[in-house]
Amino acid sequence: MEAESGSSSPGRKRRLLRLYYSAAPEPQQEEQPDPCDINGAQFDPELYLNKLRKECSLNELMDQESCMVRQIRSLDSDMQTLVYENYNKFISATDTIRKMKNDFKKMEDEMDCLSTNMAAITEFSARISGTLQDQHAQITKLSGVHTLLRKLQFLFELPARLNKCLELQAYAQAVSSHCRARCVLQQYSHMPSFRGIQDDCHAIMERLAQQLRQKFRDGGTSAKELSECVELLLQLDEPAEELCDKFLSHAQTRLEADLQGLEAELRDSAPIDVSTQKLSSAANPMSPSESSTSSHFLSPAAQTDILEFIDRGCNEFVSNLCLVIASYQELFVNRPQEGELASKNIPQMANSKLLVFVDTLAARYFSLVERRIQEEKGVGDNSLLVRALDRFHRRLQAVSKLLPGSAVPSQGTEIVIQAARERIKQYLSALQSFYLDSLTDVRQALAAPRLSVGGTSSAGGGALAGSGPPGKEAPPSLPDLLTSLSNSILNQIKSVLASVHLFTAKDITFSSKPYFKGEFCSQGVREGLVVSFIKFICQSSRQFCESAGDRGGSTPPVLLLLLSRLCLDFETSTISYILTLTDEQFLVQHHSPVTAVTALCAEAREAAQKLLNHYVKVQGLIISQMLRKSVETRDWVNTIEPRNVRAVMKRVVEDTTSIDVQVGLLYEEGVRKAHSSDSSKRTFSVYSSSRQQIRYAPSYTPSAPMDTNLLSNIHKLFSERIDIFSPVEFNKVSVLTGIIKISLKTFLECVRLRTFGRYGLQQIQVDCHYLQMYLWRFVSDENLVHFLLDEIVGSAAHRCLDPSPMEQSVIEVICERG
């Protein structure tokens, strides 16, 4: 029952509201009225109560009763609210109606008064019109005559007025007066009186035009007076094209004077010696302590700095050019064209003349600016140049706003971009010169031990270990030279980047422009400066490997070793650090193709590998040269019985030891194969074993020479092939192995070209045993030394006329004694 009551309550309220506002009932389908519908018109209370008593329990009846009580109370409350609200509205409406009655009463009285007044005004107006009707035509005629007389008086007084204006130089007032009367005089020129006035005015205006034209030829005329002259001449129907030419010609005279002043300043400036424009040798490898205090750039001094020059050009030429453009456009381009002038299309003609005029003068100005920028060869402080370029770029933007179709702003921007590019090239050239100078200092430092120590130092740099004559300062060691050279290069790159970074400062207008920033940072600084300098280091280092000659040309071998380590350090860390620093400082966005870090590292590693290979080759050739001369200059057939190790063998061991110390200063030890427990005496077993006897025994019998060759060749087949000029690894063992391979291979080839006697063979045995005692310590695989020395002794035995080997015990005594 609650659900039924709840569902019917909203519908009941709507119906009550419709009844209250006399709304039309909603159309419904015709259906039989329900007598039990408490909201229906056919409601029967008895049937409804009987139905409830039949269908509901006592509790439900009580609930239904409570619900009906609440609805009754709610309806009573709603009814009271409606009554109160409507009662208030009725009272308010009554008051409003009463007030409206009072207001309308007052308004009716005022309207009656207004109607009476209007009737009186109408009556008076009709009376006045009737009185003045006869005199109205006469008054109108007299007014026209008065106006005509005033115009005639102005015309008759016009020549005198124009002469007075001409005396007072009130040209604008004279032109204005003449323009007002010109049409009337032209219309009545057939009358003698008006004709005379017209002739007098024409003569006066001609004199005025002559004076205005004279101002064009007067150099002291200001821009404002010039503009007034042009405007007055245009009003006097002067040809517009001729006026444009005169205006531009006069303006050109003034601007030419500005350009000549700038050109004179260029001629008076002191010439700059380009040869002195280098980076200071801030990182002298000989004095690393001074590198931090002297890492400054040299900058030439000129009579007038570039900022003053640009300021003068902007304040004089560019400012006057902008004033000329603005005045010209106001007079000829933006001037409203009326009458006959509109058909001549003067703005288009005037604008084309202005573009040619501006472009011609700007080209001369740009040439002067470029000449002055080219004089800035010093790679010192960039602040003046950057500020000058920024000011130059800013002032040209005014031209772009005044003259949108001009090529002047784009040409000026190109000058700024080109100046930045040239600055990059200058810094690159200075860095390259600095690097070459640093290498020269390094070479001098490497040559110093030879001069101070005397004959004790060799090309291998053995004196670099720090032993020098007492009382003299020890020469710098290789690690110190390498560290000093590497730090100086890095410091100079950082200093250059700091100087170039001024071009991208936030307060510089052109630095944020897309046509400058991306190209300058990516292709200019990163590629054109940093990457190019790194490539230059690698390329110039590789050029040391191209020297010809048996001794490797004039390049010291230790310099090759030092540069190889420098390039290797570049590959491992320096290149990545430099490029990361560049990208962070300049916020490089790699939109255009750039050189990858891996490509540069690969190039540096290739240069390091080539330098190290060449170092091994040069050092091997130096030792090989000694061995070759020692073999070629000796008579091995008629030599005496050996009693000592030859001095050249001792020199070979000394030089190899010196090279080992030298390489160990820059490279790690490397990996060696496990040595045998008796490596130093390995030679004895080789030359006294059954294998040795088998090899040489057939040679003692002349009937079997082929067997000896056969056995030797069979032995080579089962031996590991030795690649003499194989690539060297970046460690000391690999470097020494390569040098010893080249030396012993040369020794072997020289032995193969000689013929030996008995004592010659024995001397080779002694020399090889001595080399075996020391050289096995330097190589990665001692078997390599064993094999090559075995080949040398075997080759000497094959070419011996009387192959009688020396006893191993005797060889041992001689070598230990030597």
Side-chain angles (χ1 to χ4, degrees):
M1 294 302 293
E2 289 180 0
E4 181 182 355
S5 173
S7 63
S8 61
S9 179
R12 179 185 176 206
K13 290 181 179 179
R14 285 195 296 269
R15 281 191 290 273
L16 289 174
L17 291 174
R18 281 199 304 272
L19 289 174
Y20 176 75
Y21 290 106
S22 299
E26 296 180 357
Q28 302 183 18
Q29 295 180 355
E30 295 184 2
E31 47 182 41
Q32 293 294 330
D34 185 6
C36 294
D37 183 9
I38 195 171
N39 297 320
Q42 305 296 328
F43 175 69
D44 189 346
E46 294 297 334
L47 292 177
Y48 180 72
L49 289 175
N50 292 332
K51 181 179 179 181
L52 288 178
R53 282 195 296 267
K54 291 178 182 179
E55 297 178 355
C56 301
S57 62
L58 180 61
N59 291 334
E60 291 176 346
L61 289 173
M62 293 177 67
D63 293 339
Q64 183 68 22
E65 181 186 10
S66 299
C67 180
M68 293 181 68
V69 170
R70 286 196 302 273
Q71 291 179 2
I72 291 171
R73 290 176 180 173
S74 176
L75 290 174
D76 291 342
S77 177
D78 293 342
M79 185 64 69
Q80 290 177 3
T81 300
L82 289 173
V83 170
Y84 290 150
E85 289 178 354
N86 292 330
Y87 180 74
N88 292 332
K89 291 178 182 179
F90 289 146
I91 292 175
S92 177
T94 302
D95 295 339
T96 302
I97 292 171
R98 184 181 300 108
K99 185 177 180 181
M100 289 176 62
K101 286 183 179 180
N102 295 333
D103 293 341
F104 277 112
K105 178 61 176 176
K106 183 178 180 181
M107 188 179 298
E108 287 178 357
D109 295 340
E110 291 178 354
M111 289 299 294
D112 292 341
C113 181
L114 179 61
S115 176
T116 304
N117 291 336
M118 289 298 295
I121 290 172
T122 302
E123 182 181 356
F124 282 117
S125 176
R127 192 180 305 171
I128 291 171
S129 297
T131 304
L132 298 178
Q133 184 175 5
D134 298 336
Q135 299 177 358
H136 178 65
Q138 186 178 358
I139 293 173
T140 303
K141 183 178 179 180
L142 290 176
S143 176
V145 171
H146 177 72
T147 303
L148 180 59
L149 289 175
R150 289 185 59 187
K151 291 180 179 180
L152 290 174
Q153 184 181 3
F154 175 79
L155 290 177
F156 285 116
E157 293 177 354
L158 183 58
R161 187 190 299 269
L162 294 179
N163 283 323
K164 189 66 175 178
C165 291
L166 200 60
E167 292 175 3
L168 299 175
Q169 295 185 352
Y171 302 129
Q173 185 177 353
V175 172
S176 176
S177 300
H178 180 263
C179 289
R180 288 169 56 190
R182 183 167 51 185
C183 295
V184 177
L185 292 174
Q186 183 67 27
Q187 183 178 359
Y188 296 99
S189 61
H190 59 282
M191 300 177 65
S193 58
F194 287 97
R195 181 70 179 181
I197 296 174
Q198 185 181 24
D199 292 341
D200 293 341
C201 292
H202 182 72
I204 296 172
M205 297 309 294
E206 184 62 30
R207 282 186 296 158
L208 186 147
Q210 289 293 339
Q211 293 184 13
L212 292 177
R213 295 190 193 99
Q214 181 64 31
K215 284 195 173 186
F216 279 103
R217 296 186 291 272
D218 186 4
T221 304
S222 64
K224 183 178 180 181
E225 293 176 349
L226 188 66
S227 300
E228 292 177 355
C229 290
V230 173
E231 185 174 1
L232 295 177
L233 287 172
L234 282 175
Q235 294 180 14
L236 294 175
D237 293 333
E238 194 79 9
E241 187 170 356
E242 182 179 348
L243 287 178
C244 291
D245 294 336
K246 289 182 178 180
F247 184 92
L248 295 178
S249 176
H250 180 272
Q252 185 173 2
T253 303
R254 300 291 302 275
L255 295 173
E256 288 275 359
D258 296 337
L259 293 176
Q260 289 173 3
L262 295 175
E263 192 168 2
E265 186 174 332
L266 278 178
R267 288 195 300 267
D268 295 339
S269 62
I272 298 174
D273 186 6
V274 181
S275 62
T276 62
Q277 307 316 312
K278 294 182 179 180
L279 292 173
S280 63
S281 183
N284 185 358
M286 293 297 296
S287 56
S289 62
E290 298 176 359
S291 62
S292 60
T293 60
S294 60
S295 59
H296 301 290
F297 299 129
L298 299 176
S299 179
Q303 292 182 358
T304 303
D305 61 52
I306 188 170
L307 183 59
E308 294 179 1
F309 180 86
I310 294 297
D311 270 341
R312 179 175 178 181
C314 292
N315 295 334
E316 294 179 2
F317 175 78
V318 178
S319 296
N320 291 336
L321 182 64
C322 292
L323 182 60
V324 168
I325 294 174
S327 301
Y328 183 90
Q329 288 179 332
E330 183 178 357
L331 293 175
F332 301 108
V333 180
N334 301 329
R335 182 183 178 87
Q337 303 297 319
E338 300 175 354
E340 297 181 358
L341 295 179
S343 62
K344 295 181 180 180
N345 203 3
I346 293 177
Q348 183 176 358
M349 177 273 300
N351 193 61
S352 62
K353 285 181 176 292
L354 180 62
L355 288 174
V356 175
F357 171 80
V358 171
D359 292 345
T360 303
L361 287 177
R364 292 184 53 191
Y365 172 63
F366 289 154
S367 66
L368 296 177
V369 172
E370 288 176 340
R371 284 172 53 189
R372 183 61 185 86
I373 292 175
Q374 289 173 0
E375 293 181 1
E376 292 294 309
K377 299 296 184 181
V379 288
D381 188 11
N382 266 334
S383 58
L384 284 180
L385 176 62
V386 174
R387 287 168 57 194
L389 293 176
D390 177 56
R391 197 157 300 174
F392 175 74
H393 183 270
R394 286 175 186 266
R395 296 301 295 269
L396 289 182
Q397 301 311 306
V399 179
S400 65
K401 295 179 180 179
L402 288 173
L403 199 60
S406 175
V408 170
S410 61
Q411 293 174 357
T413 301
E414 187 61 31
I415 290 177
V416 173
I417 296 174
Q418 186 62 30
R421 291 174 182 168
E422 289 298 325
R423 204 62 170 170
I424 293 296
K425 292 179 182 179
Q426 292 171 12
Y427 274 113
L428 176 60
S429 177
L431 282 174
Q432 293 172 351
S433 300
F434 165 79
Y435 175 70
L436 296 179
D437 292 342
S438 299
L439 289 186
T440 302
D441 296 337
V442 170
R443 296 184 72 158
Q444 293 175 354
L446 295 175
R450 300 194 193 116
L451 300 176
S452 61
V453 179
T456 61
S457 178
S458 64
L464 291 174
S467 60
K472 291 188 177 182
E473 183 180 356
S477 63
L478 282 180
D480 292 339
L481 285 175
L482 176 64
T483 302
S484 179
L485 179 61
S486 179
N487 290 339
S488 65
I489 293 173
L490 189 59
N491 289 336
Q492 291 297 355
I493 292 177
K494 289 181 178 179
S495 181
V496 167
L497 289 179
S499 298
V500 175
H501 195 263
L502 294 176
F503 282 95
T504 60
K506 292 183 178 180
D507 57 341
I508 304 300
T509 54
F510 58 80
S511 65
S512 60
K513 302 298 181 182
Y515 53 75
F516 178 84
K517 186 173 184 180
E519 186 74 15
F520 176 76
C521 295
S522 178
Q523 298 300 319
V525 178
R526 190 185 192 278
E527 294 296 308
L529 182 61
V530 178
V531 174
S532 296
F533 181 56
I534 294 174
K535 288 183 176 180
F536 172 79
I537 293 177
C538 298
Q539 292 170 0
S540 61
S541 300
R542 287 197 299 268
Q543 289 175 356
F544 288 108
C545 304
E546 299 173 358
S547 55
D550 294 338
R551 297 179 60 86
S554 60
T555 304
V558 66
L559 181 61
L560 298 174
L561 182 67
L562 186 70
L563 291 179
S564 69
R565 184 66 205 190
L566 178 68
C567 292
L568 185 63
D569 291 342
F570 266 66
E571 184 264 338
T572 54
S573 60
T574 308
I575 291 177
S576 178
Y577 172 74
I578 292 174
L579 291 182
T580 301
L581 180 66
T582 304
D583 293 345
E584 289 177 352
Q585 285 189 2
F586 292 88
L587 301 176
V588 176
Q589 299 178 355
H590 300 159
H591 296 307
S592 55
V594 294
T595 305
V597 178
T598 54
L600 280 180
C601 291
E603 187 172 351
R605 188 174 185 85
E606 179 187 356
Q609 184 70 61
K610 193 171 182 180
L611 285 165
L612 194 59
N613 293 343
H614 193 62
Y615 171 78
V616 170
K617 179 180 177 182
V618 170
Q619 292 286 40
L621 291 177
I622 291 173
I623 298 177
S624 299
Q625 186 73 1
M626 294 189 297
L627 292 172
R628 183 174 65 84
K629 289 182 178 180
S630 69
V631 174
E632 292 177 351
T633 57
R634 192 179 183 92
D635 185 3
W636 294 98
V637 176
N638 300 317
T639 186
I640 62 175
E641 184 177 0
R643 290 292 181 264
N644 295 300
V645 179
R646 286 190 301 151
V648 68
M649 297 302 163
K650 298 179 182 179
R651 180 67 181 275
V652 168
V653 173
E654 290 176 359
D655 286 359
T656 305
T657 304
S658 176
I659 293 172
D660 180 73
V661 174
Q662 184 184 93
V663 177
L665 295 174
L666 297 179
Y667 284 100
E668 292 76 14
E669 180 70 22
V671 180
R672 302 176 187 269
K673 291 186 179 180
H675 294 158
S676 63
S677 59
D678 194 17
S679 298
S680 61
K681 297 182 180 181
R682 181 74 173 269
T683 306
F684 295 119
S685 60
V686 171
Y687 301 132
S688 62
S689 64
S690 59
R691 171 182 154 200
Q692 177 71 24
Q693 295 172 359
I694 292 173
R695 172 177 290 180
Y696 300 135
S699 64
Y700 303 150
T701 307
S703 62
M706 296 300 295
D707 295 339
T708 303
N709 294 332
L710 180 61
L711 290 174
S712 178
N713 292 331
I714 292 174
H715 174 66
K716 290 180 180 179
L717 289 175
F718 292 96
S719 300
E720 184 178 357
R721 180 180 180 275
I722 299 176
D723 190 359
I724 302 300
F725 295 100
S726 60
V728 184
E729 298 179 2
F730 295 102
N731 58 72
K732 184 178 72 172
V733 172
S734 180
V735 172
L736 269 295
T737 301
I739 295 173
I740 292 173
K741 283 194 299 183
I742 295 174
S743 304
L744 296 183
K745 182 64 175 177
T746 303
F747 192 13
L748 174 61
E749 296 301 326
C750 292
V751 167
R752 287 177 176 175
L753 298 177
R754 311 300 293 178
T755 303
F756 297 87
R758 175 189 297 180
Y759 298 130
L761 172 61
Q762 292 178 4
Q763 185 66 57
I764 293 296
Q765 284 184 275
V766 173
D767 293 342
C768 290
H769 182 77
Y770 183 82
L771 293 177
Q772 170 60 34
M773 290 175 61
Y774 296 99
L775 296 185
W776 67 272
R777 297 180 176 87
F778 302 114
V779 297
S780 59
D781 187 3
E782 59 183 295
N783 293 323
L784 182 143
V785 176
H786 301 158
F787 177 76
L788 289 175
L789 292 175
D790 190 18
E791 285 290 319
I792 293 170
V793 176
S795 180
H798 287 312
R799 290 156 181 80
C800 183
L801 301 177
D802 184 14
S804 298
M806 181 179 285
E807 291 294 333
Q808 188 65 33
S809 58
V810 179
I811 295 174
E812 185 176 320
V813 171
I814 293 174
C815 291
E816 290 178 354
R817 186 180 60 194

